């Protein structure tokens, strides 16, 4: 399974983005995701980039099969927070065959921030290249309750 661990600089940026988002300032769709840990049972939070396509909302993990992805799969639910607003959701994991268009959309919006995690993929990369990389990028459709 593909997983890129964050480095020190990334942790500083993520902490700042999480701080802003938790105070109600969204950076182009950022939210704080809160999920019950699969081992500890404690609520874990991190900042994520929420995006839309055809009226549906999605989350993509540019670092691969991270702890928040594993926890979300195990918990089967989570919360998206922006300031004091919280919405509970159920994730629907997207099949690899359906991911290329969503990965391309994500890259168009956030390549400036997360492009280094895509191993050279760009929004205009050939469809076959994005499809080959799709299994390494978990994508979830958000279904609010």
């Amino acid at each position: 399974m593909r997983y890129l661990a964050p480095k020190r600089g990334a942790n500083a940026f993520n902490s700042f983005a999480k701080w802003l988002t938790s105070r109600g300032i969204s950076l182009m769709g950022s939210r704080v995701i809160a999920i019950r840990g699969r081992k500890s049972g404690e609520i874990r939070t991190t900042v994520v980039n929420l995006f839309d396509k055809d009226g549906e909302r999605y989350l993509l993990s540019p670092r691969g099969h991270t702890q928040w992805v594993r926890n979300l799969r195990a918990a089967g639910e989570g919360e998206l927070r922006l300031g004091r607003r919280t919405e509970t959701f159920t994730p629907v994991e997207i099949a690899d065959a359906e991911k290329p268009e969503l990965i391309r959309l994500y890259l168009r919006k956030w390549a400036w921030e997360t492009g280094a995690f895509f191993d050279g993929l760009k929004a205009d990369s050939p469809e076959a290249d994005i499809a080959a990389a799709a299994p390494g990028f978990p994508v979830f459709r958000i279904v609010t309750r």
Side-chain angles (χ1 to χ4, degrees):
M1 271 196 285
R2 182 181 175 282
Y3 171 62
L4 301 174
K7 296 183 175 137
R8 179 179 237 152
N11 284 335
F13 177 80
N14 287 343
S15 293
F16 180 66
K18 184 176 172 182
W19 182 84
L20 285 174
T21 304
S22 68
R23 280 151 185 79
I25 302 168
S26 175
L27 302 173
M28 296 180 62
S30 65
R31 297 292 187 274
V32 172
I33 191 170
I35 309 162
R36 187 161 307 281
R38 65 193 183 285
K39 294 179 184 176
S40 69
E42 296 176 16
I43 298 296
R44 304 293 186 181
T45 61
T46 193
V47 69
V48 293
N49 294 323
L50 187 65
F51 66 102
D52 299 337
K53 182 185 178 308
D54 299 333
E56 300 282 351
R57 296 183 309 154
Y58 296 88
L59 290 174
L60 181 147
S61 178
R63 292 182 179 275
H65 299 270
T66 61
Q67 296 302 320
W68 75 259
V69 168
R70 295 172 190 173
N71 287 339
L72 187 58
R73 287 174 177 148
E77 66 180 2
E79 289 181 353
L80 292 172
R81 300 174 180 173
L82 178 61
R84 294 181 183 178
R85 288 179 284 169
T86 299
E87 62 180 317
T88 303
F89 72 94
T90 302
V92 176
E93 193 154 7
I94 303 301
D96 291 341
E98 299 174 42
K99 290 180 186 176
E101 187 177 359
L102 296 168
I103 292 171
R104 192 179 302 282
L105 180 63
Y106 187 92
L107 283 167
R108 281 192 186 110
K109 191 166 184 178
W110 280 292
W112 63 273
E113 177 190 349
T114 63
F117 309 135
F118 284 87
D119 302 323
L121 284 180
K122 307 279 183 220
D124 60 355
S125 291
E127 187 77 14
D129 292 352
I130 294 177
F137 298 100
V139 180
F140 299 91
R141 184 169 49 87
I142 300 303
V143 178
T144 54
R145 293 184 182 173

